[in-house]
């Protein structure tokens, strides 16, 4: 295919990307589309002035990168565009030998396998419909805010847990009005949870904690403060946490393979990661 029609995407392409998101049947709110454009390196393929394919790479130093926003307009699928977009993103990571992870959809799985990704785990999506869904519109999300002195410690605890520095992503999340819970003692931050209020729903993640008891205590607290929907994307090895979520009436609504290329295992102290930031960012 003609590479000249592939360009880098920037903030001013938000409308084009929103149309592509709609064409593949995804539901990604505007602020999230802006976040994917501003925090990563996105490429797009154009036909007759229309964006028909995209992919984004979110690099965290040379320790790890996350691949996301891989979409091909249904009218142009199975023509090699998805593979071309993904390969474009992988070029730079091959030069720097950076491992790449992703959370795959069922449709994307064969493409990722074809370009060398292997399944290393699973991410379960857990959702809790509020006690009384009709009241959701009246409930107000908890607004605790993240204090500046906590923000620095949160970013460094995340770097140890995730195994790669994600300062840029965190600062974008803080700017997006993310609220949070922070637990600290004399030795520093022992865990934290970030929450974003999106489309009448509270999306929780990252959730990083020293124990599953602490992680579940925060979620229980959230269910008391907020009677609307809550969603978390949880690594499936967190079995004790998942058992706690079931007791709090969370249901698993989707399960997606976690895939990796360029390494056998994910870096960091992953046993402390109870909810990921977002499938796009890892
Ligand atoms: C997943 C997606 C990006 C694939 O894009 P595409 O342009 O159709 O993929 P390609 O034509 O480049 O396919 C490359 C290879 O992937 C595999 N593949 C892609 N789609 C496949 C499918 N539906 N079934 C089986 N294999 C498939 C094949 O090995 C294919 O090579 P081949 O055509 O030579 O056999 C596209 O289907 C899409 O946008 N889906 C909706 C959004 C989505 O789920 N994105 C993935 C997010 S993780």
């Amino acid at each position: 295919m003609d590479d000249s029609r592939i360009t880098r995407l920037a903030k001013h392409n938000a409308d084009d990307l929103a149309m592509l998101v709609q064409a593949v049947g995804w539901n990604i709110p505007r602020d999230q589309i802006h976040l994917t454009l501003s925090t990563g390196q996105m490429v797009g393929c154009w036909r007759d002035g229309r964006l028909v394919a995209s992919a984004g790479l979110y690099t965290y130093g040379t320790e790890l990168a996350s691949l996301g926003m891989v979409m091909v307009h249904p009218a142009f699928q199975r023509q090699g565009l998805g593979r071309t977009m993904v390969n474009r993103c992988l070029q730079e990571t091959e030069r720097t030998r950076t491992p790449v992870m992703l959370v795959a959809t069922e449709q994307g799985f064969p493409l990722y396998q074809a370009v060398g990704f292997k399944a290393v785990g699973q991410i379960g999506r857990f959702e809790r419909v509020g006690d009384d869904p009709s009241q959701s519109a009246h409930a107000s999300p908890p607004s605790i805010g993240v204090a500046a002195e906590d923000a620095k410690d949160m970013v460094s605890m995340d770097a140890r847990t995730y195994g790669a520095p994600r300062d840029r992503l965190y600062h974008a999340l803080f700017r997006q009005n993310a609220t949070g819970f922070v637990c600290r003692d004399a030795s520093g931050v022992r865990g934290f949870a970030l929450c974003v209020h999106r489309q009448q729903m509270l999306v929780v993640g990252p959730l990083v904690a020293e124990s599953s008891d602490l992680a579940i205590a925060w979620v229980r607290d959230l269910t008391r403060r907020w009677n609307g929907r809550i969603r978390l994307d949880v690594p499936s090895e967190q079995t004790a946490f998942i058992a706690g979520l079931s007791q709090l009436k969370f249901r698993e609504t989707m399960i997606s393979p976690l895939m990796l290329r360029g390494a056998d295992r994910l870096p960091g102290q992953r046993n402390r990661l109870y909810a990921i930031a977002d499938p796009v960012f890892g």
Side-chain angles (χ1 to χ4, degrees):
M1 66 156 293
D2 181 5
D3 261 13
S4 64
R5 285 171 290 182
I6 297 178
T7 65
R8 280 283 296 272
L9 298 182
K11 284 180 195 171
H12 65 266
N13 296 122
D15 286 342
D16 305 293
L17 197 57
M19 276 194 274
L20 183 56
V21 164
Q22 199 178 14
V24 300
W26 284 357
N27 177 16
I28 307 183
R30 235 343 137 97
D31 59 342
Q32 186 73 356
I33 287 179
H34 281 284
L35 203 60
T36 62
L37 283 164
S38 62
T39 52
Q41 295 172 349
M42 286 202 69
V43 286
C45 178
W46 302 83
R47 291 267 168 96
D48 299 324
R50 184 160 62 130
L51 183 68
V52 295
S54 70
L57 189 75
Y58 303 86
T59 42
Y60 309 121
T62 53
E63 286 89 336
L64 191 63
S66 180
L67 182 67
M69 300 297 279
V70 179
M71 293 177 276
V72 176
H73 190 288
F76 298 89
Q77 288 177 3
R78 290 316 288 269
Q79 297 172 23
L81 276 183
R83 189 194 288 261
T84 304
M85 293 290 100
V86 167
N87 281 337
R88 268 298 180 101
C89 289
L90 296 179
Q91 271 170 13
E92 179 64 8
T93 61
E94 277 167 3
R95 197 183 62 76
T96 56
R97 293 172 183 264
T98 304
V100 184
M101 60 146 293
L102 60 86
V103 181
T105 60
E106 204 180 327
Q107 233 185 334
F109 191 79
L111 162 63
Y112 300 129
Q113 269 189 323
V115 297
F117 282 87
K118 292 200 166 59
V120 292
Q122 289 181 319
I123 298 290
R125 172 155 293 180
F126 287 84
E127 291 187 40
R128 181 184 190 271
V129 178
D131 296 325
D132 178 358
S134 66
Q135 283 184 24
S136 303
H138 307 294
S140 58
S143 62
I144 298 150
V146 177
E149 63 268 27
D150 287 334
K152 196 164 156 272
D153 289 351
M154 287 162 71
V155 174
S156 57
M157 184 173 186
D158 179 81
R160 288 193 302 278
T161 306
Y162 190 76
R166 301 201 288 176
D167 313 42
R168 216 162 94 210
L169 173 64
Y170 269 81
H171 291 125
L173 290 172
F174 294 147
R175 275 198 304 274
Q176 213 197 16
N177 293 327
T179 60
F181 294 80
V182 180
C183 173
R184 64 155 66 241
D185 61 16
S187 57
V189 168
R190 293 181 47 218
F192 64 87
L194 283 190
C195 319
V196 183
H197 185 213
R198 189 177 292 154
Q199 294 174 324
Q200 304 282 320
M201 182 165 63
L202 212 55
V203 181
V204 182
L207 197 172
V208 175
E210 283 184 353
S211 71
S212 58
D213 288 348
L214 186 55
I216 208 71
W218 274 325
V219 179
R220 186 177 302 111
D221 191 35
L222 261 183
T223 62
R224 286 183 186 138
R225 291 163 186 256
W226 164 252
N227 65 4
R229 271 179 185 272
I230 306 180
R231 190 182 93 189
L232 306 95
D233 289 325
V234 182
S236 42
E237 62 268 25
Q238 295 294 7
T239 48
F241 180 62
I242 289 170
L245 289 179
S246 310
Q247 283 175 4
L248 293 171
K249 297 188 191 151
F250 279 81
R251 296 286 165 263
E252 193 170 35
T253 57
M254 193 167 76
I255 185 138
S256 312
L258 179 63
M259 302 183 85
L260 186 62
R261 182 184 190 264
D264 295 330
R265 55 187 295 271
L266 289 163
Q269 301 165 345
R270 295 278 166 158
N271 57 330
R272 295 178 170 196
L273 184 65
Y274 291 92
I276 63 168
D278 182 285
V280 173
F281 306 122

